[in-house]
């Protein structure tokens, strides 16, 4: 195989018009995998939640780096979505160490239970797919309890899910999309 060979085909959501099939090449997937394994400090001890549907490109970010590291992939059921409390309780019950959530889901958690302490097993939260909610970010960093590392990721389907990422802090502007991932150059127009 070469970096130009096809890894998979996935359909976009159509947010910019009509949904279309995107042919994703191995090179982009390998760049994402290599970057995330290091940036997220993945190890065989991790237990990552696969939150996204397999038909959504974020599932590739959840599946490939986790399995390539020998970590466990915990498959989400509808029970995880019953309530914020149910989500937190199931993270604890399954010993989840990493969650990758749509920004809106994460923001809703901050609204419903701003003082929610994710279980001690969760060391990292990744948000993306939508802009970061400034109020949710303020609630996250306003919580004095234990706080996992929080990453914001951004990228179109054509770039193999992520093109940029940023570890968020209390001083981070909510609109920042971070730095390019490994072997990637971005142009902000």
């Amino acid at each position: 195989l070469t970096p130009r060979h096809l890894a998979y085909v996935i359909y976009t959501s159509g947010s910019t018009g009509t949904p279309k099939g995107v042919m994703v090449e191995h090179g982009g997937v390998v760049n994402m995998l290599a970057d995330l394994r290091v940036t997220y400090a993945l190890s065989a001890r991790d237990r990552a939640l696969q939150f996204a549907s397999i038909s959504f490109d974020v599932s590739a970010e959840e599946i490939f780096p986790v399995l390539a590291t020998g970590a466990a992939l915990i498959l989400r059921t509808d029970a995880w979505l019953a309530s914020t409390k149910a989500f937190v309780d199931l993270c604890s019950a399954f010993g989840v160490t990493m969650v990758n959530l749509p920004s809106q889901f994460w923001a809703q958690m901050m609204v419903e239970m701003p003082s929610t302490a994710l279980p001690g097993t969760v060391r990292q939260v990744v948000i993306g797919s939508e802009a970061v909610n400034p109020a949710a970010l303020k609630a996250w960093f306003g919580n004095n309890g234990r706080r996992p590392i929080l990453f914001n990721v951004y990228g179109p389907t054509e770039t193999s899910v992520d093109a940029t990422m940023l570890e968020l802090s209390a001083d981070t502007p909510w609109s920042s999309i971070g730095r390019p991932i490994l072997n990637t150059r971005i142009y902000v127009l």
Side-chain angles (χ1 to χ4, degrees):
L1 292 174
T2 72
R4 299 295 316 231
H5 279 103
L6 184 65
Y8 58 86
V9 175
I10 196 157
Y11 280 80
T12 66
S13 64
S15 59
T16 58
T18 306
K20 65 181 183 301
V22 175
M23 298 185 298
V24 179
E25 297 175 347
H26 277 277
V29 175
V30 169
N31 284 340
M32 176 191 65
L33 194 147
D35 191 280
L36 297 185
R37 286 177 66 186
V38 172
T39 302
Y40 294 167
L42 288 167
S43 78
R45 293 181 307 278
D46 279 309
R47 298 178 58 78
L49 178 64
Q50 183 189 343
F51 187 92
S53 163
I54 193 79
S55 64
F56 188 46
D57 67 345
V58 173
S59 66
E61 177 184 357
E62 295 172 332
I63 296 168
F64 298 140
V66 170
L67 295 182
T69 307
L73 189 63
I74 309 300
L75 304 179
R76 178 189 59 79
T77 64
D78 289 343
W80 291 74
L81 304 177
S83 68
T84 297
K85 183 179 181 332
F87 181 82
V88 170
D89 289 348
L90 286 166
C91 281
S92 180
F94 283 89
V96 171
T97 61
M98 297 178 52
V99 293
N100 190 334
L101 304 172
S103 294
Q104 191 60 33
F105 183 87
W106 171 78
Q108 187 62 37
M109 285 179 61
M110 295 299 99
V111 168
E112 288 180 15
M113 297 174 69
S115 62
T116 296
L118 287 169
T121 59
V122 177
R123 66 175 184 80
Q124 180 172 283
V125 176
V126 179
I127 58 174
S129 302
E130 300 168 288
V132 176
N133 179 307
L137 197 59
K138 184 175 180 179
W140 176 266
F141 287 106
N143 180 1
N144 291 328
R146 187 192 75 81
R147 192 174 27 256
I149 295 169
L150 180 64
F151 284 98
N152 181 37
V153 295
Y154 167 80
T157 300
E158 293 81 358
T159 62
S160 305
V161 189
D162 297 332
T164 65
M165 65 173 25
L166 176 67
E167 182 177 338
L168 297 169
S169 71
D171 302 327
T172 305
W174 69 268
S175 58
S176 179
I177 61 170
R179 64 161 178 82
I181 67 165
L182 185 68
N183 298 319
T184 302
R185 183 178 294 155
I186 62 170
Y187 298 92
V188 179
L189 305 174

